[in-house]
Amino acid sequence: AQSVTQLGSHVSVSEGALVLLRCNYSSSVPPYLFWYVQYPNQGLQLLLKYTTGATLVKGINGFEAEFKKSETSFHLTKPSAHMSDAAEYFCAQTSGGSNYKLTFGKGTLLTVNP
Amino acid sequence: NAGVMQNPRHLVRRRGQEARLRCSPMKGHSHVYWYRQLPEEGLKFMVYLQKENIIDESGMPKERFSAEFPKEGPSILRIQQVVRGDSAAYFCASSPGTGELNSPLHFGNGTRLTVT
């Protein structure tokens, strides 16, 4: 069965510091990978996705992620954290190449300290 | 341009009651998906529907849960005889197409069900 592992259920950074949220996937076929953000009491918003092609993917709000097949990783980064980045972040992969049957990680709660 | 609309935002039911969760997809979207988020867990796929058809219900519990997406009106996720373990956030998503990676899912704000 496919799985997504997010290392660290809670990450705390200072404003202006680097944000690094880790995600490892397991898939027997080439995966399609996604990062979603969930602000309090809101739905999930797509940050970025990797399908094929360039392994460094840029998303909204200055986030980017790099697909590393050798490490089965898709870590999310942002050079400089902003207070508005405080939210829960979910990494996800698809099953069998479809777009709708996403397997999600348990999420990482990011807090940003002033 | 309204997004995916779910109601109610919060729903409290006593054990044994029925819960009905509604989802109106984004304008122009004909594909609806329901996901469930249990406490401290990631979202898990439940069911995928198109108008008047259930396409994939492989993630739906076999008993007490049902879903529909009628020709007119919102999609409904129905949970009969709720139990405490049904307490979760239920998210609906929609897309204009399926299996196409250029049409990502758009999620609603969720319905938080609490069973007392």
Side-chain angles (χ1 to χ4, degrees):
Chain A
Q2 298 189 354
S3 65
V4 174
T5 303
Q6 291 183 240
L7 187 62
S9 60
H10 188 192
V11 170
S12 182
V13 300
S14 298
E15 193 172 19
L18 171 72
V19 175
L20 171 60
L21 304 181
R22 299 178 188 275
C23 172
N24 289 88
Y25 67 90
S26 70
S27 175
S28 58
V29 298
Y32 300 117
L33 298 161
F34 306 80
W35 274 100
Y36 284 85
V37 60
Q38 184 180 25
Y39 296 103
N41 295 316
Q42 293 189 24
L44 279 74
Q45 180 181 2
L46 181 65
L47 268 180
L48 49 80
K49 63 181 180 182
Y50 168 78
T51 54
T52 57
T55 56
L56 183 62
V57 180
K58 294 186 185 301
I60 61 172
N61 301 338
F63 284 93
E64 61 183 35
E66 186 171 11
F67 170 61
K68 291 187 176 180
K69 186 178 178 181
S70 61
E71 298 177 7
T72 61
S73 68
F74 191 57
H75 302 330
L76 181 71
T77 60
K78 181 174 180 178
S80 177
H82 192 272
M83 296 295 289
S84 61
D85 294 326
E88 188 147 26
Y89 292 79
F90 291 94
C91 183
Q93 69 173 18
T94 56
S95 303
S98 77
N99 188 39
Y100 67 87
K101 210 166 187 176
L102 296 168
T103 300
F104 282 86
K106 292 186 177 182
T108 297
L109 180 64
L110 175 68
T111 58
V112 181
N113 304 308
Chain B
N1 184 18
V4 177
M5 303 300 293
Q6 290 188 248
N7 68 81
R9 291 294 301 276
H10 300 275
L11 182 62
V12 180
R13 285 288 178 266
R14 290 184 177 155
R15 280 180 297 170
Q17 290 185 321
E18 179 180 285
R20 281 185 177 236
L21 289 64
R22 294 175 181 77
C23 169
S24 296
M26 282 183 70
K27 187 177 181 180
H29 289 191
S30 58
H31 302 252
V32 166
Y33 318 84
W34 286 93
Y35 278 76
R36 177 167 65 174
Q37 183 181 27
L38 292 168
E40 298 183 9
E41 296 282 334
L43 279 74
K44 294 193 189 306
F45 168 78
M46 298 181 74
V47 62
Y48 161 36
L49 310 102
Q50 294 180 25
K51 285 284 187 182
E52 299 184 282
N53 285 303
I54 296 175
I55 307 302
D56 182 351
E57 56 181 350
S58 58
M60 190 95 95
K62 294 289 185 282
E63 298 179 351
R64 301 188 297 106
F65 284 72
S66 62
E68 62 177 10
F69 189 17
K71 187 176 181 181
E72 301 291 336
S75 175
I76 306 287
L77 179 67
R78 183 182 177 204
I79 311 172
Q80 295 177 288
Q81 299 175 328
V82 295
V83 300
R84 288 219 171 103
D86 297 333
S87 296
Y90 292 82
F91 288 94
C92 173
S94 72
S95 70
T98 183
E100 301 159 15
L101 296 167
N102 289 323
S103 60
L105 276 58
H106 295 260
F107 283 85
N109 288 352
T111 292
R112 281 147 183 86
L113 172 65
T114 302
V115 180
T116 62

